[in-house]
Amino acid sequence: MSLLNVNDVSYSYDGIVNVLLDVSFTVEEGAIVGLVGPNGSGKSTLIRNVFDLVALQSGSIQIGGHGHDRPEAKQLAMYLSSNDYLPEFLTAREYISMMGKLFHLDVDHDQALDLFRKFSMEGRYDDLIEDYSHGMRKKTQLVSSLVMSRPLTVVDETLNGIDLEALHLAEKEFRAIRSEGRSVLLCTHDFSVLERLADRILFLDLGHVVYDAPTKDLVDEHGSVASMVFDYLETAQR
């Protein structure tokens, strides 16, 4: 069953620069879908459309069968952005409590504390976020998404800046999300992560869907996800 449906979405800035052109794809329940593409391909704009952070100009987007701008849809999905902008005046406990209120959840702080320990941040849960390093802030974003446990989690380059041990743990947690029937849309330039995790790859370039296929099929055809991307880009530049 489809959890996220994006149908014929186009978007332009100031009616001049076309960023997305008739983009359509789905994310099924219990799936990890990789989103790749060069800078300027429309990935972040696509995600902003999904989360109603920019006004939809054409097409339709549904989350869990609800229009993406409906409160019911917004309760089903969580967005982890590429930056590490978190409220520095809060502790991690306060931040995760605030996120719980947004999703109308009773936060399991014991789970959060355990995840802080696993992510090598034991003893820092009640420290101010302003005292966290870049990597700690990224890991706090990941912990918050794991505690919120939404049906759909969209990760936009959030894995950048975390250490290898934390990356390994994040991959393990994403696999657990999939096994529980929830889904991840994972936007990253780390193609090896996608080869290990993603069921499907969605490749955007210049606002178009270039590939939307099972990861295994793309790797069988091109040798690797990286080769698929770079072969296409070399051909497109000719």
Side-chain angles (χ1 to χ4, degrees):
M1 183 175 177
S2 296
L3 180 59
L4 172 64
N5 287 274
V6 176
N7 296 295
D8 297 325
V9 169
S10 296
Y11 190 87
S12 65
Y13 289 106
D14 299 324
I16 300 172
V17 180
N18 293 316
V19 181
L20 300 173
L21 295 167
D22 299 322
V23 172
S24 296
F25 69 96
T26 62
V27 175
E28 307 299 318
E29 292 181 351
I32 299 175
V33 176
L35 177 60
V36 301
N39 291 339
S41 61
K43 303 186 302 296
S44 293
T45 298
L46 172 61
I47 292 171
R48 292 188 188 105
N49 271 271
V50 168
F51 282 91
D52 196 31
L53 298 176
V54 295
L56 187 66
Q57 295 176 350
S58 67
S60 65
I61 301 173
Q62 289 191 326
I63 302 174
H66 306 284
H68 75 302
D69 57 345
R70 301 295 302 158
E72 298 89 343
K74 295 181 180 184
Q75 287 293 309
L76 297 176
M78 187 167 181
Y79 172 34
L80 302 186
S81 66
S82 58
N83 59 53
D84 65 352
Y85 299 153
L86 298 178
E88 295 185 340
F89 54 88
L90 298 180
T91 66
R93 181 187 297 274
E94 292 168 338
Y95 170 67
I96 290 175
S97 294
M98 178 189 72
M99 295 301 295
K101 290 178 181 178
L102 290 175
F103 288 107
H104 307 298
L105 297 174
D106 291 325
V107 170
D108 185 345
H109 288 290
D110 288 337
Q111 179 191 9
L113 282 165
D114 184 54
L115 286 166
F116 258 58
R117 178 185 60 77
K118 290 179 178 178
F119 277 106
S120 302
M121 296 192 295
E122 189 169 10
R124 303 301 302 273
Y125 193 54
D126 290 296
D127 291 351
L128 288 173
I129 291 172
E130 70 175 358
D131 295 327
Y132 287 1
S133 67
H134 172 71
M136 290 179 66
R137 296 180 189 209
K138 288 297 188 79
K139 289 189 279 189
T140 300
Q141 288 178 294
L142 288 168
V143 169
S144 69
S145 70
L146 295 171
V147 173
M148 295 308 114
S149 189
R150 298 295 81 204
L152 174 65
T153 301
V154 178
V155 181
D156 185 5
E157 299 290 354
T158 315
L159 301 182
N160 290 351
I162 67 173
D163 54 80
L164 288 175
E165 185 178 3
L167 178 61
H168 177 72
L169 177 58
E171 290 184 25
K172 181 179 178 181
E173 294 292 342
F174 289 156
R175 290 189 185 96
I177 286 173
R178 176 173 55 196
S179 69
E180 293 166 1
R182 295 182 286 124
S183 302
V184 178
L185 178 61
L186 178 57
C187 177
T188 180
H189 290 298
D190 192 333
F191 302 139
S192 61
V193 168
L194 294 179
E195 288 183 14
R196 292 192 296 269
L197 282 180
D199 303 295
R200 281 184 23 247
I201 299 289
L202 181 72
F203 178 24
L204 283 183
D205 187 36
L206 299 176
H208 293 279
V209 176
V210 177
Y211 291 110
D212 182 1
T215 306
K216 183 180 183 303
D217 291 355
L218 293 172
V219 171
D220 287 346
E221 181 179 352
H222 298 274
S224 68
V225 173
S227 294
M228 178 268 291
V229 172
F230 296 136
D231 288 349
Y232 168 81
L233 292 177
E234 287 181 5
T235 301
Q237 290 172 357
R238 291 174 187 169

